[in-house]
């Protein structure tokens, strides 16, 4: 609902590179070639730092959730689902 769409799903693996310009494991919400909307799960708010992809497969970046929102213009949302 945060994105205004009825349904959202992960991008199929074969479409990751053509759509984002990055290989699987290297897609990051920061420093992207193309501007995509970012939605950050509200469960990240109480944490001092969270780990996100740094744009290269196997490389992670620790960042304060609030700083990630500032840098990316992310929207806080309840994006997780319960089983």
């Amino acid at each position: 609902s945060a994105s205004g769409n009825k349904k959202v799903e992960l991008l199929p693996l074969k479409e990751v590179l053509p759509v984002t310009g990055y290989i699987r494991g290297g897609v990051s919400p920061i420093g992207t070639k193309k501007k995509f909307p970012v939605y950050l799960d509200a469960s990240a708010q109480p944490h001092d730092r969270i780990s996100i992809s740094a744009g290269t497969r196997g490389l992670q970046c620790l960042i304060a959730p609030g700083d990630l929102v500032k840098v990316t213009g992310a929207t806080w949302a309840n994006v997780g689902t319960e089983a």
Side-chain angles (χ1 to χ4, degrees):
S1 65
S3 70
N5 294 292
K6 289 183 180 181
K7 180 181 175 184
V8 295
E9 57 190 34
L10 291 175
L11 196 59
L13 184 54
K14 66 182 179 183
E15 294 179 31
V16 171
L17 180 59
V19 171
T20 68
Y22 297 97
I23 62 168
R24 174 183 169 217
V27 180
S28 175
I30 57 175
T32 57
K33 296 175 185 177
K34 300 176 186 176
K35 178 81 171 148
F36 292 101
V38 176
Y39 299 92
L40 186 55
D41 193 83
S43 67
Q45 285 180 317
H47 298 282
D48 292 333
R49 294 178 308 200
I50 58 173
S51 178
I52 63 168
S53 173
T56 300
R57 182 181 278 179
L59 188 61
Q60 298 294 302
C61 173
L62 295 176
I63 187 169
D67 289 342
L68 181 59
V69 170
K70 287 177 192 174
V71 169
T72 63
T75 300
W76 290 108
N78 292 316
V79 296
T81 58
E82 292 187 24

